[in-house]
Protein backbone atom coordinates (compact mmCIF):
# COMPACT_ATOMS: atom_id res chain seq x y z
CA UNK A 1 0.00 0.00 0.00
CA UNK A 2 2.74 2.43 0.89
CA UNK A 3 4.44 1.81 -2.43
CA UNK A 4 1.24 2.47 -4.32
CA UNK A 5 0.87 5.91 -2.81
CA UNK A 6 4.53 6.85 -2.54
CA UNK A 7 4.19 8.77 -5.79
CA UNK A 8 0.86 10.31 -4.87
CA UNK A 9 1.74 13.70 -6.32
CA UNK A 10 2.33 12.19 -9.75
CA UNK A 11 -0.61 9.80 -9.53
CA UNK A 12 -3.00 12.67 -8.85
CA UNK A 13 -1.78 14.47 -11.96
CA UNK A 14 -3.29 11.66 -14.03
CA UNK A 15 -6.71 12.03 -12.44
CA UNK A 16 -8.10 14.03 -15.35
CA UNK A 17 -6.71 11.52 -17.85
CA UNK A 18 -8.36 8.63 -16.02
CA UNK A 19 -11.70 10.42 -16.12
CA UNK A 20 -11.33 11.16 -19.82
CA UNK A 21 -10.55 7.55 -20.62
CA UNK A 22 -13.39 6.33 -18.42
CA UNK A 23 -15.78 8.50 -20.35
CA UNK A 24 -14.66 6.89 -23.60
CA UNK A 25 -17.13 4.10 -22.96
CA UNK A 26 -19.91 6.37 -21.77
CA UNK A 27 -22.67 7.39 -24.13
CA UNK A 28 -24.40 10.63 -23.22
CA UNK A 29 -27.00 12.13 -25.53
CA UNK A 30 -26.62 15.88 -25.87
CA UNK A 31 -28.42 17.97 -28.44
CA UNK A 32 -25.81 20.36 -29.81
CA UNK A 33 -27.08 23.73 -30.95
CA UNK A 34 -25.33 26.26 -33.16
CA UNK A 35 -22.67 28.39 -31.53
CA UNK A 36 -21.17 31.76 -32.33
CA UNK A 37 -17.48 31.12 -32.75
CA UNK A 38 -15.27 34.17 -32.57
CA UNK A 39 -12.37 33.47 -30.24
CA UNK A 40 -8.99 34.82 -31.38
CA UNK A 41 -7.04 31.74 -30.25
CA UNK A 42 -5.15 28.78 -31.66
CA UNK A 43 -4.05 25.41 -30.29
CA UNK A 44 -0.56 26.73 -29.46
CA UNK A 45 -2.10 28.83 -26.67
CA UNK A 46 -2.43 25.75 -24.47
CA UNK A 47 1.36 25.35 -24.44
CA UNK A 48 2.22 28.96 -23.59
CA UNK A 49 2.85 30.45 -20.16
CA UNK A 50 0.84 33.49 -19.12
CA UNK A 51 3.62 35.98 -20.01
CA UNK A 52 4.06 34.29 -23.40
CA UNK A 53 0.30 34.32 -24.00
CA UNK A 54 -0.12 38.02 -23.18
CA UNK A 55 2.91 39.05 -25.23
CA UNK A 56 1.72 37.01 -28.21
CA UNK A 57 -1.41 39.13 -28.47
CA UNK A 58 0.38 42.46 -28.24
CA UNK A 59 -0.28 43.46 -24.65
CA UNK A 60 2.29 44.56 -22.10
CA UNK A 61 2.87 42.02 -19.34
CA UNK A 62 4.79 42.12 -16.07
CA UNK A 63 5.57 39.32 -13.64
CA UNK A 64 5.79 40.26 -9.97
CA UNK A 65 6.77 38.17 -6.95
CA UNK A 66 5.62 38.63 -3.37
CA UNK A 67 5.85 36.68 -0.12
CA UNK A 68 2.99 36.00 2.28
CA UNK A 69 3.25 36.32 6.06
CA UNK A 70 3.64 32.53 6.30
CA UNK A 71 6.42 32.36 3.71
CA UNK A 72 4.71 31.34 0.45
CA UNK A 73 6.10 33.04 -2.64
CA UNK A 74 3.39 34.03 -5.09
CA UNK A 75 3.54 35.29 -8.66
CA UNK A 76 1.20 38.04 -9.85
CA UNK A 77 0.79 38.93 -13.52
CA UNK A 78 0.04 42.49 -14.65
CA UNK A 79 -1.58 43.20 -18.02
CA UNK A 80 -1.77 46.56 -19.76
CA UNK A 81 -2.98 47.67 -23.18
CA UNK A 82 -0.78 49.82 -25.40
CA UNK A 83 -3.08 52.77 -24.67
CA UNK A 84 -2.83 52.27 -20.90
CA UNK A 85 -3.36 55.25 -18.62
CA UNK A 86 -3.14 55.15 -14.83
CA UNK A 87 -6.67 53.88 -14.40
CA UNK A 88 -8.55 51.93 -11.75
CA UNK A 89 -6.75 48.90 -10.37
CA UNK A 90 -8.49 45.52 -10.62
CA UNK A 91 -7.43 42.16 -9.17
CA UNK A 92 -8.76 38.99 -10.83
CA UNK A 93 -8.55 35.81 -8.74
CA UNK A 94 -8.93 32.32 -10.21
CA UNK A 95 -10.71 29.21 -8.99
CA UNK A 96 -9.68 25.77 -7.73
CA UNK A 97 -7.03 23.97 -9.83
CA UNK A 98 -6.67 27.07 -11.97
CA UNK A 99 -4.33 30.02 -12.50
CA UNK A 100 -4.08 33.53 -13.90
CA UNK A 101 -4.49 31.98 -17.38
CA UNK A 102 -8.23 31.66 -16.68
CA UNK A 103 -8.75 35.30 -17.55
CA UNK A 104 -6.85 35.09 -20.86
CA UNK A 105 -7.68 31.75 -22.50
CA UNK A 106 -10.43 32.90 -24.87
CA UNK A 107 -8.22 35.63 -26.27
CA UNK A 108 -8.39 39.36 -27.05
CA UNK A 109 -11.83 40.81 -27.57
CA UNK A 110 -13.39 38.18 -25.32
CA UNK A 111 -11.29 37.34 -22.23
CA UNK A 112 -12.01 39.55 -19.23
CA UNK A 113 -8.38 40.57 -18.60
CA UNK A 114 -8.04 41.94 -22.14
CA UNK A 115 -11.45 43.63 -22.08
CA UNK A 116 -10.55 45.44 -18.86
CA UNK A 117 -7.10 46.42 -20.16
CA UNK A 118 -8.69 47.80 -23.35
CA UNK A 119 -10.84 50.05 -21.16
CA UNK A 120 -7.82 51.49 -19.35
CA UNK A 121 -7.87 49.33 -16.22
CA UNK A 122 -4.62 48.38 -14.50
CA UNK A 123 -5.20 44.61 -14.55
CA UNK A 124 -3.52 42.29 -12.04
CA UNK A 125 -3.98 38.51 -12.15
CA UNK A 126 -3.43 36.64 -8.89
CA UNK A 127 -2.04 33.12 -8.41
CA UNK A 128 -2.82 31.18 -5.23
CA UNK A 129 -0.19 29.14 -3.42
CA UNK A 130 0.51 25.75 -4.96
CA UNK A 131 -0.40 26.43 -8.57
CA UNK A 132 2.19 26.32 -11.36
CA UNK A 133 3.14 29.98 -10.86
CA UNK A 134 3.30 29.91 -7.06
CA UNK A 135 5.06 26.66 -6.15
CA UNK A 136 7.66 28.24 -3.88
CA UNK A 137 8.28 29.00 -0.22
CA UNK A 138 10.95 30.82 1.75
CA UNK A 139 12.02 27.67 3.61
CA UNK A 140 9.92 24.65 2.46
CA UNK A 141 10.49 22.68 -0.73
CA UNK A 142 7.31 21.82 -2.71
CA UNK A 143 8.49 18.19 -2.69
CA UNK A 144 8.05 18.22 1.09
CA UNK A 145 4.53 17.31 2.16
CA UNK A 146 4.53 20.12 4.72
CA UNK A 147 4.41 22.59 1.81
CA UNK A 148 0.90 21.37 1.01
CA UNK A 149 -0.66 21.70 4.46
CA UNK A 150 -3.13 24.38 3.48
CA UNK A 151 -6.66 24.73 2.14
CA UNK A 152 -8.48 27.70 0.67
CA UNK A 153 -8.67 29.09 4.21
CA UNK A 154 -4.97 30.01 4.03
CA UNK A 155 -5.45 31.43 0.54
CA UNK A 156 -8.05 33.81 1.96
CA UNK A 157 -6.19 34.45 5.20
CA UNK A 158 -2.75 35.10 3.67
CA UNK A 159 -2.53 35.01 -0.14
CA UNK A 160 -5.27 37.43 -1.14
CA UNK A 161 -4.43 40.05 1.54
CA UNK A 162 -0.72 39.91 0.62
CA UNK A 163 -1.58 40.28 -3.06
CA UNK A 164 -3.87 43.25 -2.41
CA UNK A 165 -1.27 44.98 -0.24
CA UNK A 166 1.45 44.44 -2.84
CA UNK A 167 -0.69 45.81 -5.69
CA UNK A 168 -1.79 48.88 -3.75
CA UNK A 169 1.80 49.59 -2.73
CA UNK A 170 3.03 49.24 -6.32
CA UNK A 171 0.31 51.42 -7.81
CA UNK A 172 -0.14 54.02 -5.07
CA UNK A 173 -3.89 53.43 -5.02
CA UNK A 174 -5.92 53.17 -1.84
CA UNK A 175 -8.53 50.70 -3.07
CA UNK A 176 -9.11 48.29 -5.94
CA UNK A 177 -11.81 46.39 -7.77
CA UNK A 178 -11.91 42.66 -7.06
CA UNK A 179 -13.20 39.98 -9.42
CA UNK A 180 -13.20 36.37 -8.29
CA UNK A 181 -14.38 33.14 -9.85
CA UNK A 182 -15.39 30.16 -7.70
CA UNK A 183 -12.55 29.62 -5.19
CA UNK A 184 -11.53 33.20 -5.92
CA UNK A 185 -14.81 34.20 -4.25
CA UNK A 186 -14.45 31.70 -1.40
CA UNK A 187 -11.02 33.08 -0.57
CA UNK A 188 -12.34 36.65 -0.63
CA UNK A 189 -15.12 35.85 1.83
CA UNK A 190 -12.60 34.12 4.11
CA UNK A 191 -10.41 37.23 4.00
CA UNK A 192 -13.27 39.63 4.63
CA UNK A 193 -14.49 37.52 7.58
CA UNK A 194 -11.14 36.85 9.24
CA UNK A 195 -9.34 40.10 8.36
CA UNK A 196 -12.21 42.61 8.09
CA UNK A 197 -9.86 45.58 7.76
CA UNK A 198 -9.43 44.55 4.11
CA UNK A 199 -13.06 45.42 3.36
CA UNK A 200 -11.99 49.08 3.24
CA UNK A 201 -9.50 48.32 0.46
CA UNK A 202 -12.21 47.10 -1.91
CA UNK A 203 -14.19 49.34 -4.26
CA UNK A 204 -16.47 46.45 -5.12
CA UNK A 205 -16.32 42.66 -4.93
CA UNK A 206 -17.59 41.16 -8.20
CA UNK A 207 -18.29 37.49 -7.45
CA UNK A 208 -18.60 35.14 -10.44
CA UNK A 209 -20.09 31.75 -9.55
CA UNK A 210 -19.71 32.49 -5.82
CA UNK A 211 -18.97 29.53 -3.56
CA UNK A 212 -19.54 29.63 0.18
CA UNK A 213 -22.38 27.23 0.95
CA UNK A 214 -22.39 23.95 -1.01
CA UNK A 215 -25.21 21.89 0.45
CA UNK A 216 -27.06 21.85 -2.89
CA UNK A 217 -24.03 21.04 -5.04
CA UNK A 218 -25.29 18.64 -7.71
CA UNK A 219 -22.32 17.60 -9.83
CA UNK A 220 -22.68 13.80 -10.03
CA UNK A 221 -18.92 13.46 -10.36
CA UNK A 222 -18.12 15.49 -7.25
CA UNK A 223 -21.02 14.01 -5.28
CA UNK A 224 -19.44 10.62 -5.95
CA UNK A 225 -16.04 11.91 -4.82
CA UNK A 226 -17.38 13.26 -1.52
CA UNK A 227 -18.22 9.69 -0.54
CA UNK A 228 -14.47 9.12 -0.29
CA UNK A 229 -13.80 12.11 1.97
CA UNK A 230 -12.63 9.94 4.86
CA UNK A 231 -10.37 8.02 2.49
CA UNK A 232 -8.80 11.27 1.33
CA UNK A 233 -8.20 12.25 4.95
CA UNK A 234 -6.51 8.88 5.59
CA UNK A 235 -4.31 9.30 2.51
CA UNK A 236 -3.29 12.74 3.71
CA UNK A 237 -2.42 11.41 7.14
CA UNK A 238 -0.69 8.16 6.24
CA UNK A 239 0.85 8.74 2.85
CA UNK A 240 1.29 12.48 2.56
CA UNK A 241 -0.56 12.92 -0.75
CA UNK A 242 -0.46 16.66 -0.36
CA UNK A 243 -0.47 17.90 -3.95
CA UNK A 244 -3.53 17.37 -6.13
CA UNK A 245 -3.29 17.42 -9.94
CA UNK A 246 -0.15 19.46 -10.68
CA UNK A 247 0.17 21.00 -14.14
CA UNK A 248 1.45 18.54 -16.72
CA UNK A 249 1.96 19.71 -20.34
CA UNK A 250 1.12 16.19 -21.52
CA UNK A 251 -2.56 16.81 -20.73
CA UNK A 252 -2.68 19.35 -23.56
CA UNK A 253 -1.39 16.72 -25.99
CA UNK A 254 -3.75 14.03 -24.66
CA UNK A 255 -6.74 16.38 -24.94
CA UNK A 256 -5.88 17.06 -28.58
CA UNK A 257 -5.74 13.33 -29.33
CA UNK A 258 -8.84 12.03 -27.56
CA UNK A 259 -10.91 15.25 -27.62
CA UNK A 260 -10.16 16.67 -31.09
CA UNK A 261 -11.08 20.34 -31.48
CA UNK A 262 -12.78 19.66 -34.83
CA UNK A 263 -15.24 17.22 -33.24
CA UNK A 264 -18.79 18.23 -32.40
CA UNK A 265 -19.74 18.82 -28.78
CA UNK A 266 -22.13 15.86 -28.57
CA UNK A 267 -19.36 13.30 -29.26
CA UNK A 268 -16.47 15.06 -27.49
CA UNK A 269 -15.37 13.18 -24.34
CA UNK A 270 -13.70 16.21 -22.77
CA UNK A 271 -16.92 18.16 -23.18
CA UNK A 272 -18.86 15.44 -21.36
CA UNK A 273 -16.33 15.46 -18.53
CA UNK A 274 -16.75 19.21 -18.10
CA UNK A 275 -20.54 18.90 -18.28
CA UNK A 276 -20.51 16.26 -15.51
CA UNK A 277 -18.41 18.56 -13.37
CA UNK A 278 -19.98 21.92 -14.02
CA UNK A 279 -23.37 21.59 -15.73
CA UNK A 280 -24.64 20.97 -19.27
CA UNK A 281 -24.58 23.82 -21.79
CA UNK A 282 -23.47 22.48 -25.19
CA UNK A 283 -24.47 25.61 -27.12
CA UNK A 284 -21.89 27.66 -25.22
CA UNK A 285 -18.92 25.30 -25.57
CA UNK A 286 -16.52 25.70 -28.51
CA UNK A 287 -14.59 22.40 -28.83
CA UNK A 288 -11.53 24.28 -30.10
CA UNK A 289 -11.14 25.66 -26.58
CA UNK A 290 -10.71 22.26 -24.91
CA UNK A 291 -7.01 21.59 -25.70
CA UNK A 292 -6.26 25.16 -24.60
CA UNK A 293 -8.22 24.69 -21.38
CA UNK A 294 -6.45 21.41 -20.58
CA UNK A 295 -3.12 23.02 -21.37
CA UNK A 296 -3.63 25.45 -18.47
CA UNK A 297 -5.89 23.41 -16.19
CA UNK A 298 -5.28 21.68 -13.83
CA UNK A 299 -2.65 24.14 -12.65
CA UNK A 300 -2.09 22.39 -9.31
CA UNK A 301 -3.46 22.71 -5.79
CA UNK A 302 -3.30 21.14 -2.36
CA UNK A 303 -5.45 18.08 -1.72
CA UNK A 304 -6.76 19.86 1.37
CA UNK A 305 -8.46 22.44 -0.83
CA UNK A 306 -10.58 19.71 -2.39
CA UNK A 307 -11.18 18.07 1.00
CA UNK A 308 -12.30 21.39 2.48
CA UNK A 309 -14.91 21.80 -0.26
CA UNK A 310 -16.07 18.21 0.25
CA UNK A 311 -16.55 19.02 3.93
CA UNK A 312 -18.73 21.99 2.91
CA UNK A 313 -20.93 19.72 0.80
CA UNK A 314 -21.47 17.30 3.68
CA UNK A 315 -21.88 19.85 6.47
CA UNK A 316 -23.96 22.39 4.49
CA UNK A 317 -22.07 25.10 6.40
CA UNK A 318 -19.52 27.74 5.42
CA UNK A 319 -16.96 26.73 7.99
CA UNK A 320 -13.25 26.40 8.69
CA UNK A 321 -11.31 23.24 7.94
CA UNK A 322 -12.46 20.18 9.89
CA UNK A 323 -9.37 18.46 11.36
CA UNK A 324 -11.42 15.94 13.36
CA UNK A 325 -12.96 16.45 16.79
CA UNK A 326 -9.76 16.05 18.85
CA UNK A 327 -7.61 18.39 16.76
CA UNK A 328 -10.51 20.80 16.34
CA UNK A 329 -10.68 21.09 20.13
CA UNK A 330 -7.00 22.04 20.24
CA UNK A 331 -7.18 24.51 17.35
CA UNK A 332 -10.65 26.02 17.68
CA UNK A 333 -11.62 25.23 21.27
CA UNK A 334 -14.60 23.19 20.08
CA UNK A 335 -15.08 19.76 18.51
CA UNK A 336 -16.62 21.27 15.38
CA UNK A 337 -15.00 23.97 13.21
CA UNK A 338 -16.46 27.47 13.57
CA UNK A 339 -18.52 29.02 10.80
CA UNK A 340 -17.24 32.10 9.01
CA UNK A 341 -19.12 35.21 10.11
CA UNK A 342 -20.38 36.69 6.84
CA UNK A 343 -21.79 39.72 8.65
CA UNK A 344 -18.19 40.99 8.66
CA UNK A 345 -18.15 41.21 4.84
CA UNK A 346 -18.85 44.94 4.67
CA UNK A 347 -17.33 45.59 1.23
CA UNK A 348 -19.92 46.16 -1.53
CA UNK A 349 -20.68 42.82 -3.21
CA UNK A 350 -22.33 41.93 -6.52
CA UNK A 351 -23.07 38.24 -7.13
CA UNK A 352 -23.32 36.76 -10.64
CA UNK A 353 -24.55 33.18 -10.82
CA UNK A 354 -25.54 30.56 -13.38
CA UNK A 355 -28.96 28.95 -13.37
CA UNK A 356 -27.46 25.58 -14.38
CA UNK A 357 -24.29 25.77 -12.30
CA UNK A 358 -23.74 22.38 -10.66
CA UNK A 359 -21.14 23.74 -8.21
CA UNK A 360 -22.49 27.16 -7.22
CA UNK A 361 -26.19 26.39 -7.37
CA UNK A 362 -28.83 29.16 -7.29
CA UNK A 363 -30.10 27.80 -3.96
CA UNK A 364 -26.69 28.10 -2.32
CA UNK A 365 -26.01 31.51 -3.88
CA UNK A 366 -29.36 32.80 -2.60
CA UNK A 367 -28.48 31.59 0.88
CA UNK A 368 -25.16 33.46 0.65
CA UNK A 369 -26.91 36.60 -0.61
CA UNK A 370 -29.11 36.72 2.50
CA UNK A 371 -26.02 36.67 4.73
CA UNK A 372 -24.16 39.59 3.12
CA UNK A 373 -24.78 42.96 4.81
CA UNK A 374 -23.66 45.10 1.83
CA UNK A 375 -25.04 43.15 -1.12
CA UNK A 376 -25.67 45.47 -4.05
CA UNK A 377 -27.13 42.98 -6.50
CA UNK A 378 -27.53 39.25 -7.10
CA UNK A 379 -27.65 38.70 -10.85
CA UNK A 380 -28.56 35.47 -12.68
CA UNK A 381 -26.81 35.21 -16.05
CA UNK A 382 -29.37 35.44 -18.84
CA UNK A 383 -28.99 31.87 -20.10
CA UNK A 384 -30.93 29.08 -18.40
CA UNK A 385 -28.10 26.58 -19.05
CA UNK A 386 -25.18 28.79 -17.96
CA UNK A 387 -22.78 26.64 -15.92
CA UNK A 388 -19.69 26.95 -13.73
CA UNK A 389 -17.09 26.94 -16.54
CA UNK A 390 -19.18 29.15 -18.81
CA UNK A 391 -18.00 32.04 -16.63
CA UNK A 392 -14.60 31.57 -18.29
CA UNK A 393 -15.05 29.95 -21.71
CA UNK A 394 -18.67 30.33 -22.92
CA UNK A 395 -18.89 31.48 -26.52
CA UNK A 396 -21.19 34.35 -25.50
CA UNK A 397 -19.55 35.13 -22.18
CA UNK A 398 -18.58 38.67 -23.20
CA UNK A 399 -22.17 39.63 -23.99
CA UNK A 400 -23.87 37.59 -21.27
CA UNK A 401 -21.50 38.36 -18.40
CA UNK A 402 -18.37 40.43 -18.90
CA UNK A 403 -20.02 43.53 -20.34
CA UNK A 404 -22.56 43.71 -17.48
CA UNK A 405 -19.75 43.14 -14.97
CA UNK A 406 -17.68 45.97 -16.44
CA UNK A 407 -20.71 48.28 -16.47
CA UNK A 408 -21.37 47.44 -12.82
CA UNK A 409 -17.75 48.14 -11.93
CA UNK A 410 -17.90 51.53 -13.65
CA UNK A 411 -21.07 52.43 -11.73
CA UNK A 412 -19.35 51.58 -8.43
CA UNK A 413 -16.37 53.74 -9.33
CA UNK A 414 -18.61 56.76 -9.95
CA UNK A 415 -19.86 56.42 -6.39
CA UNK A 416 -16.37 55.77 -4.96
Amino acid sequence: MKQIFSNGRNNCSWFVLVLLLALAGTHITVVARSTKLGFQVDSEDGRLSVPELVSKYGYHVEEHSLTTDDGYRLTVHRVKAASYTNGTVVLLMHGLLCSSADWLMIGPGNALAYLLADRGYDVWLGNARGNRYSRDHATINPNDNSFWKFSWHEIGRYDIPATIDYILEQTGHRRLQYVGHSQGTTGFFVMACTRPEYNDKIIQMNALAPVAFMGHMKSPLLRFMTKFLKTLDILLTLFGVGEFMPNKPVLHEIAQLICPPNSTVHINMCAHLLFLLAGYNPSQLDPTMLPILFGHTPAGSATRQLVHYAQEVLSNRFEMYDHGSLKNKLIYGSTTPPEYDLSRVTAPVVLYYGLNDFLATPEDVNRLAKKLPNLKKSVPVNDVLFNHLDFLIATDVRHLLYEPVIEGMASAEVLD
Side-chain angles (χ1 to χ4, degrees), residues 3-14:
Q3 184 178 1
I4 292 173
F5 290 101
S6 62
N7 292 320
R9 297 181 181 90
N10 293 327
N11 290 338
C12 286
S13 70
W14 294 99

PDB file of all heavy atoms in Angstrom, residues 3-14:
ATOM      1  N   GLN A   3       3.801   1.624  -1.141  1.00  0.00           N
ATOM      2  CA  GLN A   3       4.440   1.805  -2.429  1.00  0.00           C
ATOM      3  C   GLN A   3       3.464   2.391  -3.451  1.00  0.00           C
ATOM      4  O   GLN A   3       3.827   3.214  -4.277  1.00  0.00           O
ATOM      5  CB  GLN A   3       4.969   0.467  -2.941  1.00  0.00           C
ATOM      6  CG  GLN A   3       5.758   0.591  -4.257  1.00  0.00           C
ATOM      7  CD  GLN A   3       6.310  -0.738  -4.698  1.00  0.00           C
ATOM      8  OE1 GLN A   3       6.104  -1.750  -4.048  1.00  0.00           O
ATOM      9  NE2 GLN A   3       7.015  -0.723  -5.803  1.00  0.00           N
ATOM     10  N   ILE A   4       2.234   1.970  -3.380  1.00  0.00           N
ATOM     11  CA  ILE A   4       1.236   2.465  -4.323  1.00  0.00           C
ATOM     12  C   ILE A   4       1.092   3.972  -4.219  1.00  0.00           C
ATOM     13  O   ILE A   4       0.978   4.676  -5.213  1.00  0.00           O
ATOM     14  CB  ILE A   4      -0.129   1.792  -4.065  1.00  0.00           C
ATOM     15  CG1 ILE A   4      -0.040   0.312  -4.417  1.00  0.00           C
ATOM     16  CG2 ILE A   4      -1.234   2.461  -4.865  1.00  0.00           C
ATOM     17  CD1 ILE A   4      -1.273  -0.477  -4.051  1.00  0.00           C
ATOM     18  N   PHE A   5       1.115   4.489  -3.008  1.00  0.00           N
ATOM     19  CA  PHE A   5       0.865   5.908  -2.815  1.00  0.00           C
ATOM     20  C   PHE A   5       2.138   6.723  -2.631  1.00  0.00           C
ATOM     21  O   PHE A   5       2.075   7.915  -2.389  1.00  0.00           O
ATOM     22  CB  PHE A   5      -0.055   6.132  -1.592  1.00  0.00           C
ATOM     23  CG  PHE A   5      -1.453   5.660  -1.834  1.00  0.00           C
ATOM     24  CD1 PHE A   5      -1.892   4.444  -1.339  1.00  0.00           C
ATOM     25  CD2 PHE A   5      -2.327   6.419  -2.591  1.00  0.00           C
ATOM     26  CE1 PHE A   5      -3.178   4.009  -1.574  1.00  0.00           C
ATOM     27  CE2 PHE A   5      -3.616   5.995  -2.830  1.00  0.00           C
ATOM     28  CZ  PHE A   5      -4.043   4.790  -2.313  1.00  0.00           C
ATOM     29  N   SER A   6       3.291   6.104  -2.754  1.00  0.00           N
ATOM     30  CA  SER A   6       4.527   6.850  -2.543  1.00  0.00           C
ATOM     31  C   SER A   6       4.719   7.931  -3.580  1.00  0.00           C
ATOM     32  O   SER A   6       5.374   8.939  -3.337  1.00  0.00           O
ATOM     33  CB  SER A   6       5.724   5.892  -2.566  1.00  0.00           C
ATOM     34  OG  SER A   6       5.826   5.264  -3.839  1.00  0.00           O
ATOM     35  N   ASN A   7       4.129   7.752  -4.764  1.00  0.00           N
ATOM     36  CA  ASN A   7       4.195   8.772  -5.793  1.00  0.00           C
ATOM     37  C   ASN A   7       2.840   9.450  -5.955  1.00  0.00           C
ATOM     38  O   ASN A   7       2.394   9.731  -7.055  1.00  0.00           O
ATOM     39  CB  ASN A   7       4.634   8.161  -7.133  1.00  0.00           C
ATOM     40  CG  ASN A   7       6.078   7.695  -7.092  1.00  0.00           C
ATOM     41  OD1 ASN A   7       6.920   8.373  -6.521  1.00  0.00           O
ATOM     42  ND2 ASN A   7       6.355   6.550  -7.688  1.00  0.00           N
ATOM     43  N   GLY A   8       2.208   9.744  -4.839  1.00  0.00           N
ATOM     44  CA  GLY A   8       0.864  10.310  -4.866  1.00  0.00           C
ATOM     45  C   GLY A   8       0.765  11.588  -5.651  1.00  0.00           C
ATOM     46  O   GLY A   8      -0.218  11.860  -6.323  1.00  0.00           O
ATOM     47  N   ARG A   9       1.805  12.437  -5.588  1.00  0.00           N
ATOM     48  CA  ARG A   9       1.741  13.699  -6.315  1.00  0.00           C
ATOM     49  C   ARG A   9       1.633  13.452  -7.815  1.00  0.00           C
ATOM     50  O   ARG A   9       0.896  14.122  -8.531  1.00  0.00           O
ATOM     51  CB  ARG A   9       2.981  14.541  -6.009  1.00  0.00           C
ATOM     52  CG  ARG A   9       3.102  14.940  -4.539  1.00  0.00           C
ATOM     53  CD  ARG A   9       4.348  15.799  -4.310  1.00  0.00           C
ATOM     54  NE  ARG A   9       4.483  16.153  -2.912  1.00  0.00           N
ATOM     55  CZ  ARG A   9       5.139  15.433  -2.028  1.00  0.00           C
ATOM     56  NH1 ARG A   9       5.709  14.312  -2.389  1.00  0.00           N
ATOM     57  NH2 ARG A   9       5.221  15.812  -0.764  1.00  0.00           N
ATOM     58  N   ASN A  10       2.394  12.481  -8.326  1.00  0.00           N
ATOM     59  CA  ASN A  10       2.332  12.186  -9.748  1.00  0.00           C
ATOM     60  C   ASN A  10       1.049  11.453 -10.116  1.00  0.00           C
ATOM     61  O   ASN A  10       0.463  11.696 -11.157  1.00  0.00           O
ATOM     62  CB  ASN A  10       3.540  11.340 -10.170  1.00  0.00           C
ATOM     63  CG  ASN A  10       4.834  12.126 -10.068  1.00  0.00           C
ATOM     64  OD1 ASN A  10       4.832  13.323 -10.282  1.00  0.00           O
ATOM     65  ND2 ASN A  10       5.914  11.442  -9.734  1.00  0.00           N
ATOM     66  N   ASN A  11       0.610  10.530  -9.241  1.00  0.00           N
ATOM     67  CA  ASN A  11      -0.611   9.795  -9.534  1.00  0.00           C
ATOM     68  C   ASN A  11      -1.798  10.725  -9.670  1.00  0.00           C
ATOM     69  O   ASN A  11      -2.649  10.551 -10.538  1.00  0.00           O
ATOM     70  CB  ASN A  11      -0.893   8.768  -8.428  1.00  0.00           C
ATOM     71  CG  ASN A  11       0.107   7.623  -8.449  1.00  0.00           C
ATOM     72  OD1 ASN A  11       0.734   7.371  -9.468  1.00  0.00           O
ATOM     73  ND2 ASN A  11       0.259   6.944  -7.322  1.00  0.00           N
ATOM     74  N   CYS A  12      -1.880  11.738  -8.797  1.00  0.00           N
ATOM     75  CA  CYS A  12      -3.000  12.667  -8.849  1.00  0.00           C
ATOM     76  C   CYS A  12      -3.008  13.462 -10.144  1.00  0.00           C
ATOM     77  O   CYS A  12      -4.056  13.863 -10.631  1.00  0.00           O
ATOM     78  CB  CYS A  12      -2.962  13.627  -7.650  1.00  0.00           C
ATOM     79  SG  CYS A  12      -3.446  12.841  -6.105  1.00  0.00           S
ATOM     80  N   SER A  13      -1.836  13.696 -10.728  1.00  0.00           N
ATOM     81  CA  SER A  13      -1.779  14.474 -11.961  1.00  0.00           C
ATOM     82  C   SER A  13      -2.443  13.752 -13.117  1.00  0.00           C
ATOM     83  O   SER A  13      -2.788  14.362 -14.122  1.00  0.00           O
ATOM     84  CB  SER A  13      -0.329  14.793 -12.330  1.00  0.00           C
ATOM     85  OG  SER A  13       0.343  13.626 -12.749  1.00  0.00           O
ATOM     86  N   TRP A  14      -2.641  12.427 -12.974  1.00  0.00           N
ATOM     87  CA  TRP A  14      -3.286  11.658 -14.035  1.00  0.00           C
ATOM     88  C   TRP A  14      -4.779  11.501 -13.794  1.00  0.00           C
ATOM     89  O   TRP A  14      -5.466  10.821 -14.553  1.00  0.00           O
ATOM     90  CB  TRP A  14      -2.629  10.282 -14.135  1.00  0.00           C
ATOM     91  CG  TRP A  14      -1.217  10.405 -14.599  1.00  0.00           C
ATOM     92  CD1 TRP A  14      -0.089  10.394 -13.833  1.00  0.00           C
ATOM     93  CD2 TRP A  14      -0.776  10.615 -15.938  1.00  0.00           C
ATOM     94  NE1 TRP A  14       1.019  10.573 -14.616  1.00  0.00           N
ATOM     95  CE2 TRP A  14       0.628  10.699 -15.918  1.00  0.00           C
ATOM     96  CE3 TRP A  14      -1.440  10.717 -17.167  1.00  0.00           C
ATOM     97  CZ2 TRP A  14       1.384  10.908 -17.057  1.00  0.00           C
ATOM     98  CZ3 TRP A  14      -0.681  10.919 -18.297  1.00  0.00           C
ATOM     99  CH2 TRP A  14       0.696  11.012 -18.238  1.00  0.00           C
TER     100      TRP A  14
END
